[in-house]
Amino acid sequence: ENRDIKYRDFTANLCPTLDKECIIGVRTPILKNIAKDMIKSGKSDEFVSKLPHRYFEENQLHAFIISEIKDFEKSISETENFLPYIDNWATCDQLVPKAFKKNSHLLEKYIEKWMVSSSVYTVRFAVCCAMRYFLDENFKREYLSKIASLKSDKYYINMVCAWFLTTAPAKQY
């Protein structure tokens, strides 16, 4: 009932790694509201336990649900369960667990692990986390060289590294 064919086509162009038939065309604000409703109704745990999902929007919904988890350990557990199933940059970049911000000191060992993964989107997620949590008040200079030394032939890894390295001087001149 929330399908928008023009938006599906737009999303398909933005996410060329996805099969267009796996995109419904539901806009992000609607998905975020559905995620919040699922959390309130207690249906979110059952949903996130069922992987893999078929549709892009299901993965987006999954990311939004994890992003709302406030407990760090549960958030990490659900993130690690989900990372192997992320198959596009948009879902990767939408996964922003709230629990990570207040617990960035606990997050570092996971970023290190994710950064050496063989999965494109797990590495991308690691770099996104470094950019979100270690370029401001918790600045970690060592991430500059770690990310600059990431060598890949994968577009979505190189793109996030470039994003990190162009954002870093703006935040930590």
Side-chain angles (χ1 to χ4, degrees):
E1 69 188 44
N2 293 307
R3 183 177 209 179
D4 178 335
I5 297 298
K6 286 183 182 179
Y7 187 69
R8 181 208 56 198
D9 294 344
F10 173 74
T11 301
N13 286 332
L14 286 178
C15 298
T17 60
L18 296 176
D19 178 355
K20 190 175 183 176
E21 297 305 313
C22 292
I23 303 170
I24 299 167
V26 181
R27 293 180 180 270
T28 298
I30 294 170
L31 290 171
K32 286 184 174 183
N33 286 335
I34 292 170
K36 288 178 182 175
D37 289 345
M38 288 178 78
I39 292 165
K40 286 178 190 171
S41 71
K43 295 179 182 175
S44 60
D45 286 343
E46 181 183 346
F47 177 79
V48 298
S49 72
K50 294 180 181 173
L51 286 166
H53 301 299
R54 178 173 179 206
Y55 293 102
F56 166 74
E57 286 82 0
E58 289 176 302
N59 283 327
Q60 293 289 88
L61 189 58
H62 198 126
F64 297 141
I65 290 169
I66 293 172
S67 294
E68 292 296 320
I69 297 170
K70 292 181 175 76
D71 176 74
F72 181 78
E73 291 304 322
K74 183 174 182 186
S75 182
I76 279 289
S77 175
E78 292 297 344
T79 296
E80 292 211 300
N81 287 339
F82 184 51
L83 281 173
Y85 299 98
I86 296 177
D87 60 359
N88 68 86
W89 69 267
T91 301
C92 180
D93 294 9
Q94 291 281 16
L95 181 57
V96 185
K98 290 180 178 178
F100 287 10
K101 186 170 176 110
K102 290 183 179 178
N103 296 285
S104 60
H105 62 290
L106 300 173
L107 183 62
E108 286 186 82
K109 70 180 180 182
Y110 296 98
I111 291 174
E112 298 289 326
K113 179 174 81 169
W114 299 331
M115 222 179 267
V116 296
S117 171
S118 60
S119 167
V120 169
Y121 299 106
T122 299
V123 175
R124 183 180 176 91
F125 181 71
V127 176
C128 283
C129 284
M131 184 166 36
R132 283 188 190 104
Y133 307 112
F134 297 105
L135 283 181
D136 291 311
E137 64 272 0
N138 297 319
F139 179 60
K140 295 281 185 178
R141 187 176 192 85
E142 61 266 20
Y143 281 116
L144 298 171
S145 58
K146 285 179 185 181
I147 290 166
S149 68
L150 280 176
K151 302 295 180 215
S152 177
D153 63 348
K154 304 298 182 191
Y155 175 82
Y156 291 104
I157 291 175
N158 292 331
M159 199 48 121
V160 78
C161 289
W163 183 16
F164 178 95
L165 294 168
T166 57
T167 301
K171 292 185 170 237
Q172 296 293 335
Y173 185 77

